[in-house]
Amino acid sequence: MEQMAGTRNYQSIGEVLVSVKTEFPDITISKIRFLEAEGLIEPERTPSGYRKFYVDDVERLKSILRMQRDEYLPLKVIKERLLKQDVDEAAAEDELGLDGEAAEEAAAAKAAKTAKAASAAEEIAEAPTGLQMSIEEMSAATGVERDRIRELESFGIVCSHGPDGARYYDGDDYIILSIVKDFFRYGIEPRHLTMYKHFVDREASFFEALVAPTLRQKNPDARRAASETLGDLSATSRKFKQALLRTNLRDHLQGA
């Protein structure tokens, strides 16, 4: 845990940036301010308006950044998870007064919830509905440079919406950018990602053709069945591609 600067028991925003930069190379002051504006962190202020980040504030920031980096969670989901965490911590204090058997039951229930959450984390997060971000806001939220976002858009990997002068990116773009930025760390360029786009376009058309007869029935049950089928096909496709890739790289992976 980082030591607070000097004799103070808190850090400035610049000091926080330096302290977390090693684990989160893409972090910027703009992104920290953005997370504050979204209500995910709430550092105190000095009388002159400077932010004061205490140990708990820094740990909360790290937790948010890990959820974005490791689980690709949108801010709405992160905020809900943090709220639940705050409620659970308050409930944990009440559990201290429980007898041994009740405490064991509470611990078992908590472990089951944790296991379920870990399993769910393997899935790609649902894109937040209603999200609208300018290119500047999206860049600050994801850590992807604006020029990179524009280049990705030129290849059709992300897509801005709305009229000229008020263009915005949505929740799907947020999820995609949160994922592809990991590719950039290995020298992969936006143009290299077009192979994924071309394959996905073909795969989507293929799956749509499979459920087209069901969709033509035009009733709620049929649409629900088609949606479930597409979900199952997407999950199976993801596992199949992972297995094929692992097979092709097997010699290298086993030798690592």
Side-chain angles (χ1 to χ4, degrees):
M1 190 174 295
E2 295 81 3
Q3 184 174 357
M4 300 293 106
T7 58
R8 291 186 275 112
N9 62 344
Y10 64 87
Q11 291 178 298
S12 68
I13 190 170
E15 291 164 342
V16 170
L17 179 69
V18 172
S19 70
V20 303
K21 194 78 171 175
T22 300
E23 184 176 355
F24 307 99
D26 297 332
I27 189 66
T28 63
I29 285 180
S30 295
K31 182 166 185 178
I32 297 175
R33 289 172 176 162
F34 175 79
L35 293 174
E36 180 184 6
E38 291 296 307
L40 279 90
I41 54 175
E42 298 178 346
E44 292 183 13
R45 298 274 186 148
T46 66
S48 54
Y50 292 103
R51 295 170 180 81
K52 298 163 64 176
F53 288 83
Y54 293 94
V55 171
D56 288 345
D57 296 316
V58 177
E59 291 303 315
R60 186 180 182 90
L61 173 63
K62 287 182 176 180
S63 178
I64 292 167
L65 296 175
R66 289 187 188 110
M67 283 187 272
Q68 285 188 308
R69 180 193 65 194
D70 301 337
E71 303 179 52
Y72 311 114
L73 296 179
L75 298 184
K76 179 181 177 181
V77 175
I78 292 175
K79 186 181 290 188
E80 292 172 351
R81 182 177 290 190
L82 290 174
L83 179 60
K84 183 179 182 303
Q85 179 179 307
D86 293 340
V87 172
D88 288 345
E89 288 177 356
E93 295 179 359
D94 296 335
E95 287 180 9
L96 294 177
L98 298 175
D99 59 30
E101 184 176 350
E104 288 180 7
E105 292 177 355
K110 186 173 182 180
K113 288 182 179 179
T114 301
K116 184 177 180 180
S119 176
E122 295 178 359
E123 299 295 327
I124 296 177
E126 287 288 331
T129 57
L131 182 69
Q132 296 185 6
M133 286 185 175
S134 67
I135 190 169
E136 291 80 10
E137 292 171 330
M138 187 63 78
S139 178
T142 61
V144 179
E145 297 174 354
R146 283 174 286 181
D147 288 344
R148 283 281 179 86
I149 295 177
R150 294 189 183 97
E151 191 174 358
L152 288 165
E153 184 165 11
S154 73
F155 291 116
I157 295 172
V158 296
C159 179
S160 59
H161 314 273
D164 291 339
R167 306 290 289 176
Y168 66 86
Y169 296 89
D170 62 16
D172 288 316
D173 299 312
Y174 176 86
I175 296 295
I176 290 171
L177 289 170
S178 297
I179 295 171
V180 302
K181 74 174 183 180
D182 291 337
F183 278 128
F184 298 154
R185 294 174 181 160
Y186 298 95
I188 295 173
E189 297 292 333
R191 59 189 171 85
H192 298 138
L193 303 179
T194 56
M195 62 177 176
Y196 296 102
K197 179 69 168 66
H198 295 155
F199 177 78
V200 166
D201 288 344
R202 293 173 59 191
E203 186 176 34
S205 296
F206 176 55
F207 287 170
E208 287 171 354
L210 290 176
V211 299
T214 305
L215 289 174
R216 280 197 288 269
Q217 297 178 33
K218 295 183 179 179
N219 67 70
D221 290 339
R223 289 192 170 276
R224 186 162 44 251
S227 178
E228 291 175 356
T229 298
L230 288 174
D232 291 342
L233 287 170
S234 297
T236 302
S237 171
R238 176 170 55 83
K239 290 186 287 187
F240 181 48
K241 283 178 283 190
Q242 287 176 338
L244 289 176
L245 185 61
R246 185 170 58 243
T247 299
N248 286 349
L249 299 176
R250 180 170 49 204
D251 292 342
H252 304 292
L253 293 174
Q254 289 178 345

